[in-house]
């Protein structure tokens, strides 16, 4: 065991989001990334999901640091929760740490956590690990892959990336350095499966420029662009084009404003003097003088774009002839809210330009030929597809094997929680640790118990029926007529069903002997079973039945 | 008014599904189609949605018939409910009525409704209307457009269609007849917006054959195909190819089995003798001898395909080397369940072929050039985009106007519920009728009140808190300690929150005077308000609060 490196993904394999991977050698452990996940439907009241932190809590004496590849929520969003469990130094590039600081402030952790800036091609050591960040390109800026030298060999974690030789902001992916690292030998490559189903290249951030040029050339009225708040390259393109076309730019939405400030202060964004205007001044300009950047490309009703679309935004409205550009991908599940927003814009006389009619968005993740380029640079012995649901992971494997980049037996298919044991000439899963999902309600930044979420889901299906009975605990006599409260189960006007349920309730109570009546748990069971049976037979529904016994 | 034709869409405009359109002249009214809609998220326990039937109920003395364009659920699914409101004769083609009979049986209506078979090019009269069905192609078979001659002119409702000159089953779209109808003059065209955002042609049902040939040529093991149960052309392609490759076919899933029987009995499907095997015999054959057709292309867990994917199907399992073809579009909202199903198949060693890697599905709805062809054949004076959300309707308009097919002022943009008034040279919306959605729970085939659904949704968000207090109604004295029941709100182990809430409850009761205590509604309000305030302050959450007062 002492010559074995362990790699333990705690999330992000078999699912999108919650990217977090622990690397352990002997008594030293680092974590790469620390992300959250946005919940699927059927988790009512849950705002986001983070990895189960049991493993981190149990091993916090071994955890030396958290190293970040980039600043997207699915890579940094769980940091505050992990740091509350194990307050270790955090390493990341300047822009990444800028985003991290924002998160830490929200949790009152800003003063309590040690942040260390890292730079591409500048190695640093943590315990037995020597870590070199390597510049990669992505939809965000200042992203790196991590080459981790360990006593058994070098492993590379690409983070999220694409091969973009012409990014808008910052420098291009450092293929030269990746090749040098490859020359020295790479034991294992852990890399992004998001787009591994798609052939070809993903395309540069610059590939959306022609579509934006068309919009700017043809627009008579105001141009409103909505994009992800972290799309720094996209923002720069809009600034450049607004400048070229002599327009002013207003930014609406808190997160996008913060990111513009951060990008500007760290010089990732280059904003010409006099370009930006205060959102309060939007209405002072004619439409053709204006570009508005608004958050809310998923049609979120409370976002700037969501409110603009229904004429509920103080500072900005859609006028006839305006053009709205939806410059982001559709996250599955958001189709209807986006379509609804588009419909509202059309109804106000606006035109909508989205990916279905022009190339106004490009992905930040590698397609098959991007994966090929990086794999050929690194020439790893072992290959581990990460970041994806099983369909992406398996097709990722199929691609790299059929492309001859790696042999089938050197590809390891694994799951979150697998303890991957690596030495200089073998890879295998030799153990499992507990992984899972922890639900967070963002109102209180608090954990929501799985049981609570399950209860909510059950309640949402057919509502509930609550029979309330007051007994005298000694005599077993009913002190008053039983009550029946139902919510979400039936129409209040359905008196017949109510009468039937009361009859069932009364006959159940009458049929019970004195001893049973004075035992609350027995009576509850009796009542639950008889009501459930009657309701299912009469309606086919299965409301949650919650008997309450009051002892008077 | 007597020379005015009224057309009233009761659903299907501004939304997908619930297609139903009333045509009225004087005291005679027909309905074209009568469809349901599958609910969006946030309607827990609702299985489908039908149009509000108030207008039909109020005007049933005028309704002479329902005429159907084709048998998809979004065109026939509300029929039983409408027929219970107004039992009028139903007109449809043989295959359409075959599907309708199935629905009527489920509602014990089969013996009570008059069904009339209609045929392309054979006109029939209902009151002042002479109606000619015209063959159109679609993903289903035996579909027609309806040319309705009225005293003010001829209107054409295309139903769902595409221009498919080479369908697999049945005859091609009858462009010749559409042109003849166009020659005689068309006052207004009502047509399908589903794919109106997409340039080009939709493609024939035959366009998926090459991809299926690849699958059949390369498959070593069993081939499992999942598609919509009404994809009759697709089923024929699979039967033909199975026959050609000397394989046997088993069909799993009740709805798909029923449609195969219907298609076979009406000779829309041509199934070679000896091709089909009993699903119970699947395991008697070697993988390479077998094609299995399974329902469940949306990843529904209870469907045949859903169960096969998790090894929970009695008759069929995925073995290493099997190929699964997902031959249907992804209905938005189902991405995750489909991806999960794909992942399960990959994990069992199967290969998945879906639209992301091969052309195994083609739409049945018109793209822009299909719309162009039909519009050029009919040359309508007025043009009304139907069947779509606003984004599709507006882009449909943009296309036909920019393509010069109709002038902008002759395109009418309308909404469900608009009463469109047509005479020989004008079109306008001159009134509104009540439209809306009626929720149906398929367990009992019963209506679910909107209030009940809203309650369920509220319950699902933060659960509920129910304080129960027993008072003596005359003395106003509490007869026992108050109870607090919470479900879906907080973790049971959170004793502190429970204690806090009980304290709030008790102090609220203590602060109340005798008169207040003996008035249940005042006490309920007091308790609700004070608990709500405390809970919001302490947790930021908003559970449903339901105070109960027991009078002892």
């Amino acid at each position: 065991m002492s010559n074995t490196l362990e790699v333990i993904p705690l999330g992000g394999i078999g699912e999108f989001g919650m990217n977090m991977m622990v690397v352990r050698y002997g008594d030293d452990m680092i974590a790469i990334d620390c992300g959250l996940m946005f919940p699927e439907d059927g988790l009512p009241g849950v705002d986001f999901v983070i990895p189960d932190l049991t493993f981190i809590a149990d091993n916090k004496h071994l955890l030396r640091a958290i190293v970040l590849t980039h600043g997207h929520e699915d890579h940094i969003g769980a940091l505050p929760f992990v740091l509350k469990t194990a307050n270790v130094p955090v390493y990341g590039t300047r822009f990444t740490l800028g985003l991290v600081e924002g998160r830490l402030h929200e949790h009152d952790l800003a003063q309590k956590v040690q942040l260390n800036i890292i730079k591409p091609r500048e190695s640093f050591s943590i315990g037995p690990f020597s870590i070199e960040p390597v510049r990669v390109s992505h939809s965000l800026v200042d992203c790196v892959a991590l080459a981790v030298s360990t006593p058994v060999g070098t492993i590379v974690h690409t983070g999220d990336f694409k091969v973009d030789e012409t990014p808008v902001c910052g420098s291009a992916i450092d293929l030269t350095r990746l090749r040098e690292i490859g020359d020295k030998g790479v034991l294992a490559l852990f890399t992004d499966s998001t787009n591994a189903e798609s052939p070809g290249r993903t395309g540069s951030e610059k590939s959306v420029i022609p579509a934006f040029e068309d919009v700017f050339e043809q627009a008579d009225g105001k141009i409103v662009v909505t994009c992800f708040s972290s799309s720094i390259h996209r923002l720069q393109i809009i600034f450049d084009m607004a400048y070229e076309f002599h327009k002013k730019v207003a930014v609406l939405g808190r997160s996008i404003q913060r990111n513009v400030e951060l990008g500007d202060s760290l010089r990732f964004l280059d904003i010409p003097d006099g370009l930006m205007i205060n959102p309060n001044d939007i209405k002072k300009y004619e439409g053709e003088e204006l570009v508005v950047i608004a958050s809310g490309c998923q049609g979120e009703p409370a976002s700037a774009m969501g409110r603009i679309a229904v004429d509920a935004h103080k500072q900005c409205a859609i006028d006839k002839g305006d053009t709205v550009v939806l410059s982001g991908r559709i996250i599955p599940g958001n189709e209807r809210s986006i379509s609804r927003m588009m419909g509202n814009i059309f109804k106000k006389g606006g035109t909508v330009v989205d990916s279905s009619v022009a190339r106004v968005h490009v992905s930040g993740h590698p397609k098959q030929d991007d994966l090929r380029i990086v794999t050929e640079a690194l020439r790893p012995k072992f290959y581990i597809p990460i970041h994806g649901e099983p369909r992406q992971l398996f097709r990722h494997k199929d691609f790299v094997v059929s492309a001859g980049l790696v042999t089938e037996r050197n590809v390891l298919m694994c799951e979150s929680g697998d303890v991957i044991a690596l030495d200089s000439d073998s890879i295998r899963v030799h153990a499992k640790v507990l992984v899972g999902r922890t639900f967070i309600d963002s109102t209180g930044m608090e954990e929501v118990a799985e049981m609570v979420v399950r209860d909510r889901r059950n309640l949402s299906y057919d509502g509930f029926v609550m029979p309330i009975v007051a007994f005298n605990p000694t005599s077993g006599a009913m002190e008053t007529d039983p009550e029946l409260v139902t919510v979400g189960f039936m129409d209040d006007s359905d008196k017949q069903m109510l009468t039937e349920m009361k009859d069932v309730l009364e006959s159940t109570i009458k049929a019970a002997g004195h001893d049973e009546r004075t035992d609350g748990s027995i009576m509850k069971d009796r009542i639950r079973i008889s009501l459930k049976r009657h309701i299912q037979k009469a309606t086919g529904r299965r409301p949650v039945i919650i008997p309450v016994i009051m002892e008077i």
Side-chain angles (χ1 to χ4, degrees), chain A residues 92-94 117-124 132-134 144:
Chain A
T93 60
R94 284 182 72 197
I117 293 174
I118 61 177
K119 288 180 180 160
R121 294 196 176 215
E122 293 186 10
S123 295
F124 57 97
E132 180 181 334
V134 183
V144 291

Side-chain angles (χ1 to χ4, degrees), chain A residues 30 33 129 165 195 203 216 219 225 240 243 278 293 356 373 376 392 396 477 535 548-549:
Chain A
I30 58 169
D33 290 337
F129 309 115
E165 287 106 339
N195 282 345
F216 274 74
V225 183
D240 290 345
Y243 183 75
N278 187 310
I293 299 173
S356 68
I373 290 167
E376 283 177 338
Q392 285 87 18
H396 190 167
I535 290 169
V548 175
I549 308 277

Side-chain angles (χ1 to χ4, degrees), chain A residues 113-402:
Chain A
V113 174
Q114 186 198 319
L115 300 179
N116 303 287
I117 293 174
I118 61 177
K119 288 180 180 160
R121 294 196 176 215
E122 293 186 10
S123 295
F124 57 97
S125 288
I126 302 170
F129 309 115
S130 170
I131 303 168
E132 180 181 334
V134 183
R135 168 68 67 230
V136 294
S137 25
H138 184 43
S139 48
L140 193 59
V141 295
D142 216 4
C143 306
V144 291
L146 299 171
V148 183
S149 295
T150 78
V152 307
T154 297
I155 65 171
V156 176
H157 184 300
T158 60
D160 292 350
F161 80 98
K162 65 178 169 181
V163 177
D164 186 347
E165 287 106 339
T166 59
V168 181
C169 311
S171 50
I173 182 169
D174 191 353
L175 288 172
T176 307
R177 188 63 194 144
L178 290 174
R179 276 187 213 105
E180 287 167 7
I181 292 168
D183 289 341
K184 285 187 252 164
V186 171
L187 180 62
L189 173 61
F190 297 78
T191 189
D192 185 358
S193 308
T194 310
N195 282 345
E197 296 182 296
S198 304
R201 286 283 294 279
T202 292
S204 168
E205 285 296 312
K206 284 205 171 137
S207 63
V208 301
I209 292 178
F212 273 93
E213 271 170 351
D214 286 347
V215 168
F216 274 74
E217 274 163 15
Q218 287 161 25
D220 292 325
K222 169 162 80 256
I223 297 170
V224 182
V225 183
T226 179
C227 61
F228 292 109
S229 63
S230 60
S231 297
I232 304 295
H233 303 277
R234 200 71 41 87
L235 293 171
Q236 184 67 53
I237 288 172
I238 300 162
F239 294 148
D240 290 345
M241 215 162 288
Y243 183 75
E244 189 188 328
F245 282 79
H246 309 293
K247 294 177 193 279
K248 300 290 181 188
V249 177
V251 176
L252 300 177
R254 210 163 49 109
S255 66
I256 213 162
Q257 282 165 347
R258 270 199 313 232
N259 288 345
V260 168
E261 280 163 29
L262 182 65
D264 188 33
S265 71
L266 296 180
R267 306 231 188 139
F268 283 96
L269 285 173
D270 179 11
I271 306 176
D273 286 343
L275 183 75
M276 307 289 279
I277 63 164
N278 187 310
N280 290 321
D281 294 336
I282 288 177
K283 292 187 176 162
K284 295 182 188 163
Y285 290 83
E286 295 296 319
E288 69 262 29
E289 298 174 297
L290 269 179
V291 177
V292 174
I293 299 173
S295 59
C297 66
Q298 300 303 304
E300 303 93 328
S303 67
M305 192 66 238
R307 283 180 289 137
I308 292 169
V310 294
D311 234 350
H313 198 282
K314 274 205 313 267
Q315 296 154 322
C316 182
I318 298 296
D319 300 309
K320 195 167 160 54
D322 287 352
T323 305
V324 178
V325 183
L326 306 189
S327 179
R329 79 181 182 102
I330 299 175
I331 296 175
N334 294 339
E335 294 83 358
R336 296 214 188 198
S337 56
I338 295 171
S339 283
R340 202 173 296 127
M341 183 168 80
M342 289 172 69
N344 288 324
I345 297 163
F346 278 119
K347 284 181 193 168
K348 300 204 181 319
T351 300
V352 180
V353 179
D354 68 334
S355 289
S356 68
V357 298
R359 193 179 192 185
V360 289
H361 179 67
V362 59
S363 170
H365 297 275
K367 291 188 180 175
Q368 291 173 350
D369 285 335
D370 299 72
L371 292 167
R372 183 201 303 274
I373 290 167
V374 164
T375 308
E376 283 177 338
L378 289 167
R379 289 147 282 154
K381 179 161 191 152
F382 300 114
Y383 195 101
I384 305 94
I386 59 172
H387 298 178
E389 296 180 350
R391 63 181 277 189
Q392 285 87 18
L393 303 175
F394 278 94
R395 283 184 167 157
H396 190 167
K397 174 187 175 177
D398 285 349
F399 166 69
V400 291
V401 171
S402 69

